[in-house]
Amino acid sequence: MGKHSATLCGVLVALLCLGTSIAQAQILFQGFNWDSWRKQGGWYKFLRGQVEEIASTGATHVWLPPPTHSVSPQGYMPGRLYDLDASKYGTAADLRALIHEFHDKNIRCLADIVINHRCADKKDGRGVYCVFEGGTPDGRLDWGPDMICSDDTQYSNGRGHRDTGAGYAAAPDIDHLNPRVQRELSDWLNWLKRDVGFDGWRLDFAKGYSAPMAKVYVDNTSPTFVVAEIWSSLNYNGDGKPSTNQDADRQELANWVKGVGGPATAFDFTTKGVLQAAVQGELWRMRDSNGKAPGLVGWLPEKAVTFVDNHDTGSTQKLWPFPSDKVMQGYAYILTHPGIPCIFYDHMFDWGLNHEITILAEIRSRNGIHPGSKLEILKAEGDVYVAMIDGKVITKLGPRMDVGNLIPSGFHAVAKGNNYCVWEKSDHRAPASRRHY
């Protein structure tokens, strides 16, 4: 009996360790861009044909577009939240089939959740669009102006609470302090999990409502993964360049993830902004005054989702794009460093970078690099950045070829491209047939 118990304990410990490893080894993939809704035949159907290649990146989660009826085709002006058939990306059946395909590859699916604001179907007696339809035969999410923030004077009747976050001029700001709003939005989110198959949330414009309000929805729905869009575009000097201290920027991100707690993470806009400035001859920016990474990843790496571009910053909008000829330096950084890296659809499929991105993702997986991996920055000067991760991987960015004795014996190059190179310790070296340098 004792022998069997010991064996059982050993199995349980192994399973627990495996579970921890899987939980740590996270890669997010953004599965759409700004114009995906235009795809003939529907985006959901089209994306099913790319699930296999997305899985090859080691992606553990995929971020899908807003799934509901929306006044704007991209989905960010939602109205009838239960009406998934009105989405420009495809039908509810198409969406469920796509999620099933991803689940078959052990990839969990995040819904893009837009709840800061909402578009109304009808006008009230004042002639104001503030009467909402939920998209069901019953009264779920059928709201009136009482559910709009009182300080959103364009739409409100003045009876709601004041907004807990930033205003949004293009549509009514929803009153998240209203108990009915909290209850019915939580029910809707749980329906997306239970009936549609989603596993977690990407929270759009999370600046629009406070962290305590976001916590209500996270606590009520128990998602496996939550990431917030809290866009901050850095602080700049008089010369138009980012200031050396971006602590206020990343403090905003840190405050949010701590305020929400649980699985909450945030897109690391601070790292994106600093990195895209640094690769333009200012790589000294990649080490802060305390010798750490300059973004949220330098403070709370397990809570930082790092990225190069997304449907807003890049794609056809190009609101804050990474330098196009240096995108792979961005991926060399995020895919070998702490944090949770996010791969953008366009770079993988439209830019022809799938081979290079996949190689870097394999290095991450092979060496067990995870959100909390140890980062040691060895050099950060104008034309070169060198860092060691977990004592097993070394990454160099920048045009300088000679890095002196920073690369110890026993490390071998396993990936290189335009102004980046990655070395791996010999005992983790890829088989000869899988080296790409």
Side-chain angles (χ1 to χ4, degrees):
M1 189 69 181
K3 182 179 179 181
H4 291 159
S5 297
T7 302
L8 180 59
C9 286
V11 171
L12 288 172
V13 168
L15 288 172
L16 285 169
C17 291
L18 177 62
T20 302
S21 174
I22 292 171
Q24 289 179 328
Q26 296 173 324
I27 295 178
L28 178 61
F29 188 97
Q30 181 176 0
F32 65 100
N33 62 32
W34 188 246
D35 291 316
S36 295
W37 65 274
R38 298 180 184 273
K39 190 67 180 179
Q40 290 295 315
W43 184 252
Y44 295 148
K45 286 184 178 178
F46 173 75
L47 196 60
R48 287 180 67 183
Q50 296 176 307
V51 169
E52 188 81 35
E53 195 162 359
I54 292 170
S56 74
T57 66
T60 55
H61 296 77
V62 62
W63 159 23
L64 297 176
T68 72
H69 159 264
S70 170
V71 171
S72 65
Q74 294 85 4
Y76 292 98
M77 297 286 280
R80 301 187 302 273
L81 297 182
Y82 278 101
D83 186 357
L84 306 189
D85 285 325
S87 168
K88 295 295 184 182
Y89 297 101
T91 66
D94 296 336
L95 175 58
R96 289 183 175 93
L98 175 62
I99 291 172
H100 181 76
E101 293 267 355
F102 277 117
H103 283 171
D104 279 350
K105 295 292 183 181
N106 295 316
I107 298 174
R108 293 177 173 178
C109 298
L110 309 185
D112 203 327
I113 300 300
V114 188
I115 54 174
N116 168 73
H117 53 274
R118 190 178 172 199
C119 294
D121 274 67
K122 300 174 184 176
K123 296 179 180 180
D124 68 354
R126 301 170 298 159
V128 175
Y129 273 102
C130 59
V131 178
F132 305 91
E133 297 286 341
T136 66
D138 56 34
R140 285 174 292 167
L141 296 174
D142 292 353
W143 297 343
D146 286 2
M147 280 66 174
I148 299 173
C149 295
S150 60
D151 46 346
D152 189 356
T153 55
Q154 183 179 353
Y155 302 100
S156 172
N157 61 9
R159 290 200 288 265
H161 299 87
R162 292 184 64 82
D163 201 341
T164 63
Y168 187 83
D173 281 302
I174 298 304
D175 176 10
H176 290 282
L177 288 168
N178 185 298
R180 181 180 172 188
V181 168
Q182 293 181 7
R183 182 177 66 253
E184 293 192 359
L185 283 179
S186 295
D187 289 346
W188 171 68
L189 290 167
N190 280 318
W191 173 79
L192 288 177
K193 282 182 62 185
R194 180 185 65 252
D195 191 80
V196 183
F198 281 109
D199 305 285
W201 322 126
R202 179 263 184 183
L203 300 180
D204 177 70
F205 194 61
K207 279 189 174 185
Y209 46 101
S210 67
M213 296 299 95
K215 179 176 174 58
V216 169
Y217 301 114
V218 171
D219 289 350
N220 286 349
T221 60
S222 302
T224 60
F225 191 105
V226 178
V227 58
E229 179 204 31
I230 303 173
W231 189 321
S232 52
S233 301
L234 305 187
N235 296 307
Y236 291 85
N237 297 322
D239 60 2
K241 292 187 175 184
S243 59
T244 55
N245 188 324
Q246 297 294 335
D247 285 357
D249 223 50
R250 54 178 168 175
Q251 188 65 60
E252 181 182 18
L253 301 177
N255 289 345
W256 190 90
V257 296
K258 289 177 180 177
V260 177
T265 66
F267 283 111
D268 194 348
F269 277 87
T270 312
T271 288
K272 174 190 164 47
V274 174
L275 181 58
Q276 66 187 30
V279 295
Q280 301 181 77
E282 298 179 341
L283 285 163
W284 53 265
R285 294 182 178 275
M286 298 313 298
R287 178 165 54 192
D288 72 8
S289 59
N290 294 311
K292 296 184 177 182
L296 179 64
V297 75
W299 284 359
L300 299 171
E302 295 92 344
K303 297 297 185 179
V305 177
T306 53
F307 68 106
V308 176
D309 266 323
N310 61 30
H311 63 294
D312 286 323
T313 65
S315 192
T316 52
Q317 292 201 91
K318 296 183 172 66
L319 298 179
W320 201 35
F322 206 92
S324 59
D325 60 333
K326 297 174 174 63
V327 160
M328 280 310 305
Q329 288 187 64
Y331 279 108
Y333 184 90
I334 70 170
L335 285 170
T336 63
H337 277 55
I340 303 167
C342 181
I343 299 169
F344 184 34
Y345 178 91
D346 286 16
H347 296 149
M348 182 77 179
F349 291 105
D350 295 343
W351 289 39
L353 300 177
N354 54 321
H355 182 63
E356 285 185 84
I357 289 172
T358 301
I359 291 168
L360 291 169
E362 287 176 352
I363 293 169
R364 184 180 188 86
S365 175
R366 188 165 62 241
N367 288 278
I369 297 172
H370 56 84
S373 283
K374 180 184 177 183
L375 174 65
E376 183 183 358
I377 300 172
L378 305 176
K379 187 178 286 289
E381 298 176 356
D383 61 348
V384 67
Y385 167 87
V386 183
M388 181 181 289
I389 303 89
D390 285 342
K392 296 183 286 189
V393 170
I394 297 176
T395 299
K396 181 200 78 97
L397 306 181
R400 188 192 300 184
M401 301 297 290
D402 183 7
V403 293
N405 60 356
L406 290 179
I407 313 300
S409 60
F411 278 77
H412 305 272
V414 286
K416 65 180 178 179
N418 183 24
N419 289 334
Y420 76 87
C421 188
V422 180
W423 292 263
E424 196 175 64
K425 205 168 186 179
S426 292
D427 53 349
H428 293 276
R429 195 180 184 192
S433 61
R434 296 177 61 193
R435 292 180 209 147
H436 307 276
Y437 55 88

